[in-house]
Amino acid sequence: MTIYDYKDQRGENVIVTNLAGETELLTDYSGLKRVRKVNGDYSISFFILRTEKNAHAYPFVEEESIVKYEGQQYRIKDVKEVLAGVTPIKTVQATHIFFDLIDTHKYDYLKNTQHLQSCLTFALDGTGYTFEVIDSFSSAIFEKFGEDNALSLVQKALNVYGAEVQINNKHLKFYRQIGTDTETQIRYSYNVKTLEKYVNTNNLSTRIRGFGKKNEDDSYVVTAEYLSPNHTIYGIRDAKPVYDERYTDYESLLERIKSELIDEPQVSFKVDALELKKMGVLTEQLNEGDRVFVIYEPLGIDLIARVLEIVDYPESSKPAEYTFGNFQNNFTSEMAGFQKTKDNVDAILNGNQKLPYNVLDDAVLRATEALTSAMTELIFDNGIIARDPSNPNRLVLINSKGIGISDNGGATFKEAITADGFVLSAGAIGQLKANNIDVTGLIRGINDEGMTTIDGGRITTNSIDVQKLIAGILTGFIIQTNDNPYLPRIYMGGSKFEATNGDSTIVIDTMDWDGYAGLTVKSDSVDMRLQAYNDRTMLSSNGAPLEIWALNGGVNINGDFSVSGSKNAKVHTSIGDVNVSAYETAEYYFGDIGRSKVVEGQCIIDIESLFKETVNTDIDYEVFLTPYGKGLIYVDEMTPGYFIIKGDDIPFAYEIKAKRNGYEDVRLELSHESEVEDIVQNASQK
């Protein structure tokens, strides 16, 4: 089995639809994981925090709701909700809607000779599923095909006809074998360094028998038996015999039973996407069922393996994991496991089955050994008194009120079990496992490194070592790789967030100022700061020039741009890059330069329309002329749209300078440099 995967739709939004048919876009989810297994599990899982953005969608994430992701639909089957501080978090498991077929039961059945097409039509009738049979398949004889759920009937058809199915939501395609033969070779020390290998011999057999069509006297027209050469290694192990009335000749039946026999251990191994890409494998084109060559001498692997399972994380950088093997599961066994678990839980809730406290088994064994090896005096007085012969003050009292343990001859019982509960004055426990712990008051853990206190919803500790932490609010803490302060660490406290690695530091600090926030990036004695204060934002560098590199384009600035030093264009020359200075004026002028010629004493210059959009020519502007020849020329008339040059018939150059639109009245504007310097200086002192 494989699922049709819309790989070109990667990044599509997640849509959730509840049982009432209401649909919402799902946001603020994380940890999306997808599992795709040949003839097995196909599911997604993720967790979602309730936020303002997903307040409407969050309640839709419940059992039996439909989640749509990358074109495929999944039904939520398992939801666990916890609180992180005051924030609800749901952990969600959803299986592909294909497995909904297990909820449809067929009460009648087909028999006699049937084609794959007729079996599928019967199994899927009324389910809303459509199908195509792509390859050709021989007919099969059934005593009874039916009286089971639709999912099991589809699997039965796959087994009988030797078919495999490709799924796209509610449309199924049936092939002799899904996947493609690739030229990919995975070989130890050649293109891969490590493999994780699994070996399963549960289905290993070395001998199988087959029985073909029956005669009228119930004898068989043909029978066959095959003994694998591997019986010399594993001994004779009989497989389930094959009964199939389609066969009337020995050779065909022999080939059939050989194909059914699993005479070598079922091997699987995992390789992640990073290793595969190093081999030159295009993992984006690798799907369930695809076949590769595998040679791995250290583990004795030399076979053609198929992609059995793909576990990927489509919305994170975590590499996908690919499981290869020489066998396949079937999805009815997967769902049977789910159903068995459900039945056990239902039995526990209905009181028909005891809750299995497996976590107590080791403690029960240890206690049993201690009790059976004790040499104890038993006294029958107000119950049963078990007294330690070596110390009469140590005793255990058992009566109808409970059990008491005393170390002062029975004067007081600091340890007791009664109908009111359990009392323990003190104790030392190496390990405590329990299904539920409910504590009123504090829980403290103390060791050489410090103390951790749990008080209701608050945890106070001076050190925490975890693989994963989900929390609503964390107050004043340090995260570090080890005790060396020069290795990577993160500090949060007061108004400051600080991440350091040796002499390199990133600091985000509000510095307890109203309206101030700052970001500092420091390496050795050089630091760069981005600071915001009231209506000002500053980018500064101390200890080295500030360089801005636009590697894939230019730098755009929306707003004013002031420079206390020079403004230069860097131009490459034969002696290297040189700085070409910008021309500055006391007011905001834009200029345009052109050439023309006076003809018959006059030349009209139209102001270029696009340039005119940037300046204001309704007020005075300037025109400068440069004659190219002997003669006299002058500006005779200036209008908002053109100006007229008169004089001798000679060529000339002109330059027009006009004030920028919106800046007509600005001249030598006061700089905010002094205010900026004060803020930078105060930031340095912090």
Side-chain angles (χ1 to χ4, degrees), residues 106 119-120 122-123 145-158 332:
K106 297 294 179 180
C119 290
L120 295 174
F122 172 79
F145 181 83
E147 294 185 346
D148 206 340
N149 67 71
L151 183 66
S152 294
L153 292 177
V154 171
Q155 179 65 59
K156 184 176 182 179
L158 296 178
T332 51

Side-chain angles (χ1 to χ4, degrees), residues 269-484:
F269 57 91
K270 289 183 179 180
V271 185
D272 68 35
L274 295 180
E275 283 279 3
L276 290 173
K277 287 181 179 179
K278 290 177 183 177
M279 306 175 200
V281 178
L282 298 176
T283 56
E284 297 81 2
Q285 300 177 7
L286 202 59
N287 290 302
E288 306 96 293
D290 287 353
R291 292 164 289 280
V292 300
F293 298 97
V294 180
I295 303 172
Y296 195 66
E297 291 88 349
L299 299 181
I301 300 175
D302 186 356
L303 49 83
I304 296 177
R306 302 181 71 190
V307 179
L308 300 181
E309 181 182 46
I310 302 174
V311 179
D312 64 344
Y313 309 87
E315 299 190 4
S316 78
S317 59
K318 186 174 181 180
E321 299 170 352
Y322 293 80
T323 299
F324 298 86
N326 61 347
F327 64 93
Q328 67 181 41
N329 299 317
N330 65 68
F331 43 74
T332 51
S333 64
E334 299 264 348
M335 294 306 294
F338 299 156
Q339 188 63 40
K340 181 178 179 181
T341 301
K342 178 180 180 298
D343 293 342
N344 288 340
V345 173
D346 290 343
I348 292 169
L349 296 177
N350 295 330
N352 300 325
Q353 182 174 322
K354 293 182 179 180
L355 185 64
Y357 285 97
N358 296 330
V359 297
L360 301 180
D361 290 350
D362 291 342
V364 170
L365 290 174
R366 290 194 297 269
T368 301
E369 181 180 356
L371 291 171
T372 55
S373 63
M375 302 296 294
T376 308
E377 282 185 6
L378 294 180
I379 303 171
F380 296 89
D381 182 10
N382 190 29
I384 301 175
I385 299 175
R387 192 184 300 273
D388 185 350
S390 61
N391 186 352
N393 286 324
R394 299 169 62 88
L395 61 86
V396 177
L397 171 63
I398 304 173
N399 59 29
S400 60
K401 296 294 184 180
I403 301 174
I405 302 173
S406 175
D407 60 2
N408 58 10
T412 58
F413 294 90
K414 295 181 180 179
E415 283 71 42
I417 301 175
T418 70
D420 296 323
F422 177 81
V423 178
L424 177 64
S425 62
I429 301 176
Q431 180 173 311
L432 174 63
K433 295 182 179 180
N435 289 58
N436 188 28
I437 299 176
D438 189 356
V439 178
T440 301
L442 301 178
I443 299 177
R444 287 192 177 96
I446 304 173
N447 59 19
D448 294 338
E449 296 183 358
M451 180 175 70
T452 298
T453 302
I454 303 176
D455 183 5
R458 180 186 295 272
I459 300 177
T460 304
T461 181
N462 65 320
S463 178
I464 183 169
D465 184 3
V466 296
Q467 295 295 320
K468 183 177 183 181
L469 177 64
I470 300 175
I473 298 176
L474 296 174
T475 304
F477 65 90
I478 296 175
I479 301 175
Q480 58 190 43
T481 53
N482 63 26
D483 294 335
N484 187 342

Side-chain angles (χ1 to χ4, degrees), residues 479-668:
I479 301 175
Q480 58 190 43
T481 53
N482 63 26
D483 294 335
N484 187 342
Y486 289 98
L487 291 178
R489 65 199 299 264
I490 295 175
Y491 164 78
M492 288 187 69
S495 62
K496 181 183 292 186
F497 171 91
E498 183 177 280
T500 62
N501 185 4
D503 293 326
S504 300
T505 305
I506 298 176
V507 179
I508 301 175
D509 195 353
T510 61
M511 298 170 60
D512 298 324
W513 294 8
D514 291 336
Y516 175 87
L519 169 66
T520 301
V521 180
K522 182 178 181 181
S523 178
D524 294 327
S525 61
V526 177
D527 64 65
M528 184 279 292
R529 295 176 183 174
L530 176 63
Q531 298 161 289
Y533 178 61
N534 289 338
D535 60 347
R536 294 284 183 270
T537 302
M538 284 103 16
L539 179 65
S540 62
S541 173
N542 292 336
L546 176 63
E547 297 184 15
I548 299 176
W549 290 25
L551 300 179
N552 295 310
V555 177
N556 295 320
I557 299 176
N558 294 321
D560 295 338
F561 180 55
S562 300
V563 179
S564 61
S566 60
K567 288 191 294 186
N568 303 312
K570 182 181 289 187
V571 180
H572 185 71
T573 69
S574 60
I575 63 171
D577 292 340
V578 297
N579 291 333
V580 180
S581 301
Y583 177 69
E584 312 283 359
T585 64
E587 298 175 83
Y588 291 93
Y589 277 97
F590 287 165
D592 194 12
I593 299 174
R595 285 192 178 194
S596 190
K597 183 178 182 181
V598 176
V599 179
E600 295 182 357
Q602 178 175 290
C603 179
I604 300 175
I605 304 295
D606 291 318
I607 300 175
E608 198 267 328
S609 59
L610 193 59
F611 172 73
K612 191 174 181 300
E613 292 179 17
T614 67
V615 296
N616 186 352
T617 57
D618 291 329
I619 63 175
D620 290 343
Y621 57 91
E622 307 301 332
V623 176
F624 304 93
L625 302 176
T626 302
Y628 292 136
K630 293 182 178 181
L632 175 65
I633 56 173
Y634 60 92
V635 179
D636 181 68
E637 182 181 351
M638 299 170 67
T639 73
Y642 63 89
F643 54 90
I644 300 175
I645 308 300
K646 290 187 176 182
D648 297 324
D649 292 351
I650 59 173
F652 65 92
Y654 65 87
E655 180 179 5
I656 176 174
K657 289 188 177 178
K659 289 189 176 181
R660 177 180 175 182
N661 263 329
Y663 292 81
E664 293 90 338
D665 300 322
V666 180
R667 178 179 175 83
L668 296 177

